[in-house]
Amino acid sequence: MQFLSTLPSRHPLRNNAGFRRLFFASAFSLTGDWFAFVALNGFVYHRTGSPGWTALLFAVNSLPGVLLLPVLGPLTDRLDRRRLRVACDVGALLPVVGLFGAFHTGSVALAMCSLAGLSVCGVLAGPIPEAALPNLVPPEQLSSAQAALGSLYSAGLLVGAGLGGVVTAAWGPSATLAVDGASFLVSAALIASIRASFSAVVPTPTTATASISTPAAVPARPVPARARLRPWGDMSELWRFVRSTPIVAALLWLTVGLRLCYGMVGLLPVYALGRFHAAAGGVGALYLAQGAGAVLGPLIGRRIVQDSPRRRLTVAGGALAVFGLGYLALAQSGRLGTGMAAALVGHIGVGACAVLAINGLQLATPDAIRGRVMVLAFGLTAACQGVSSLAVAPLTQALGPATVTRLLGLLALVCSVTWTVRTTRNRAIGIIAIPATTDQVGRDSST
C-alpha cells in the first residue's frame, strides 16, 4: 500500500475506505481473469492450430452474457449491488473449475462453454463498480475515481497478461487457473467488507419522472432498491431515457464504434505465435504492451480534458483514431518489439476513449437508472466485440491477419471522424455537467 502515500491527500483512494476496497476487489478480479485468458489462448491455438479459433475466443468471452441483457440490466438497479457482486464472484468459481477440466481432458468445447459461463458472470458483475461509484465518492472526486477504476482493466491486463504468460510457461495452465479462482474469492471478501451502501435508490412518485428524464435530478428518498423486477418495462424506460438524452446516446454510439473495431485485438496471440514466432511469453508480452497503453490512456486523456465538457468529446473521438493508427502500425510490424510498441500506442487510444465515455455516462445519468445504463454500455461493448470477433475469425482464415487488421484499423479512423463531426455539429448534445448535488447513499469516507 506504499503507493497510496504518493497520491494527493484528497484522492479517493487515500480518504475513502469504501472506494479503496472496491478498487482493490476489481483489481484482483481483473488480474485473475487475464491470467486465465492468456492460458486459454495458448491452449486453444495449440489444440486447433487455427488463428480463427483463437480470434473466436473474444466472441465467446463477449456474447453469451449479452443474450441475458433484458434481465441482467434491471438487476443492478433493483437488487442490492454489493450482494449481487459477491454472488457473481462466488458463482464464477464454477466455470473456473470447468476450465480445469477442459485443460486436463484437452476439450476445446468444454473450455468454450466455461468461458461462456465466465462471460455471463462478467456482464452482470462488470458494470456494478461503475454504477455504484457516484454513491461512494463525492462529485468533485468522481473524475479521479473513475480514472483510477477505469485504468484497472488496463492494469489487470498489464499485470495479469504479463505474469500470466510467465506463470503458464513456468508452471502450466493449471497454476494460472488457480490464481484466477483465488482472485474471485479475494474480490468477494473485499466487496462484502464495504460498510457503505452502494445500492441503487428508488425515487419517490413525485420525483420518478424527473429522475429519469433529467440527468441532474436527484431522487428525494434514497432507500435501497427492492422494487419488483419488470424486465421489459425497465428496458423500455431505459430506451426512453437514452432517446431523450442526446449526450448519453452519443457516448453509447462512441462505445459501439470502438468495440466494432475491437475484434482485431483477438489477433494479438496470432501475431505473437505466428508472425513473431514467440511462445506463451510472447503472447504475454503483447498483452503486457496492450495493458501498459490502456493504463496510460485514461491518465493522458484526463490530463488533456481537464474537466472541459466539450474537450471530453473531442479527445474521446480522437482517441478512437489513435486506436486505429496503432493497429495499422501493428500490421506492418515484423518483430515482437515493434509489435509491442504498436499495441502500446493503439491501447492508449482504447483506454482514453473507453474511460472518457464511461465517465461521461456517469455524470449524465441519475442513480435510479444508472445501473441499467452501465449494463447497456457494457452489454454493447460485449456484443460489438463479439460480433467483431465473429467476423474476424473467418476473415482471418480467408485474408490473413495483417489484411484484417488493416481493414479494422481503417474502420476505426472512419468511425472516429464521423462521430467527431456529427457530435461537434449537434447542438442538442450540450454540456456534461457535474451535478451540484449528488445521490450518494451512506458514503464511507473513513480511513
Side-chain angles (χ1 to χ4, degrees):
M1 302 293 182
Q2 185 65 34
F3 83 95
L4 293 177
S5 62
T6 65
L7 297 173
S9 59
R10 292 180 59 82
H11 196 283
L13 275 174
R14 289 193 64 176
N15 59 29
N16 190 313
F19 173 69
R20 191 161 55 247
R21 293 187 184 106
L22 180 67
F23 177 88
F24 284 110
S26 300
F28 279 109
S29 179
L30 288 169
T31 300
D33 283 346
W34 279 109
F35 258 74
F37 199 68
V38 168
L40 190 55
N41 271 283
F43 169 76
V44 171
Y45 185 82
H46 290 302
R47 292 292 299 180
T48 65
S50 168
W53 271 96
T54 305
L56 193 62
L57 282 175
F58 267 86
V60 177
N61 193 39
S62 303
L63 287 177
V66 177
L67 301 177
L68 298 175
L69 189 60
V71 175
L72 300 182
L75 287 177
T76 59
D77 287 329
R78 304 298 185 189
L79 302 180
D80 185 293
R81 289 174 182 157
R82 183 197 294 106
R83 293 179 181 177
L84 188 59
R85 175 58 190 255
V86 171
C88 289
D89 283 338
V90 174
L93 293 175
L94 183 59
V96 171
V97 172
L99 287 176
F100 267 110
F103 284 7
H104 283 284
T105 60
S107 173
V108 174
L110 179 56
M112 292 293 191
C113 289
S114 300
L115 183 60
L118 287 174
S119 168
V120 173
C121 293
V123 165
L124 182 54
I128 290 177
E130 274 75 10
L133 194 57
N135 299 94
L136 290 176
V137 301
E140 66 272 11
Q141 293 183 352
L142 183 59
S143 179
S144 298
Q146 179 54 40
L149 198 62
S151 68
L152 277 183
Y153 175 85
S154 317
L157 173 58
L158 176 66
V159 177
L163 291 181
V166 173
V167 171
T168 301
W171 293 288
S174 294
T176 63
L177 294 181
V179 171
D180 191 23
S183 72
F184 282 121
L185 291 175
V186 173
S187 173
L190 286 170
I191 294 293
S193 70
I194 297 176
R195 295 191 298 274
S197 171
F198 54 87
S199 296
V201 297
V202 177
T204 61
T206 58
T207 60
T209 302
S211 67
I212 296 301
S213 61
T214 309
V218 178
R221 181 168 55 89
V223 296
R226 291 291 186 272
R228 179 174 60 88
L229 283 175
R230 301 176 298 114
W232 295 113
D234 289 335
M235 293 304 290
S236 297
E237 189 176 58
L238 170 63
W239 288 118
R240 288 196 300 272
F241 172 74
V242 171
R243 287 198 303 268
S244 65
T245 315
I247 183 60
V248 171
L251 292 171
L252 290 173
W253 275 115
L254 180 63
T255 299
V256 169
L258 173 65
R259 300 305 171 175
L260 280 177
C261 305
Y262 205 78
M264 57 187 172
V265 177
L267 295 175
L268 286 177
V270 177
Y271 278 94
L273 299 170
R275 177 180 287 193
F276 305 143
H277 304 292
V283 176
L286 277 184
Y287 278 136
L288 187 71
Q290 175 192 355
V295 166
L296 292 172
L299 303 177
I300 294 173
R302 182 169 176 265
R303 190 174 189 84
I304 296 173
V305 170
Q306 295 181 344
D307 293 324
S308 166
R310 182 56 62 180
R311 198 180 299 166
R312 179 192 305 276
L313 301 178
T314 304
V315 173
L320 178 55
V322 173
F323 173 43
L325 291 172
Y327 272 79
L328 287 173
L330 176 65
Q332 300 300 117
S333 301
R335 297 181 179 179
L336 180 61
T338 55
M340 291 175 65
L344 174 73
V345 171
H347 285 272
I348 287 176
V350 173
C353 182
V355 170
L356 288 173
I358 288 294
N359 188 221
L361 289 171
Q362 288 172 326
L363 295 173
T365 308
D367 186 71
I369 202 170
R370 190 183 303 118
R372 278 167 283 174
V373 171
M374 290 298 115
V375 169
L376 176 60
F378 276 67
L380 286 173
T381 294
C384 293
Q385 282 185 190
V387 168
S388 184
S389 298
L390 285 174
V392 163
L395 285 174
T396 300
Q397 293 287 87
L399 304 176
T403 300
V404 174
T405 303
R406 292 188 187 100
L407 289 174
L408 289 181
L410 290 173
L411 177 61
L413 293 177
V414 171
C415 289
S416 169
V417 172
T418 302
W419 186 86
T420 302
V421 170
R422 289 179 65 88
T423 301
T424 302
R425 293 181 176 178
N426 188 353
R427 295 181 180 178
I429 285 180
I431 295 176
I432 307 173
I434 297 179
T437 56
T438 181
D439 45 17
Q440 299 171 79
V441 180
R443 189 187 308 139
D444 178 10
S445 299
S446 64
T447 56

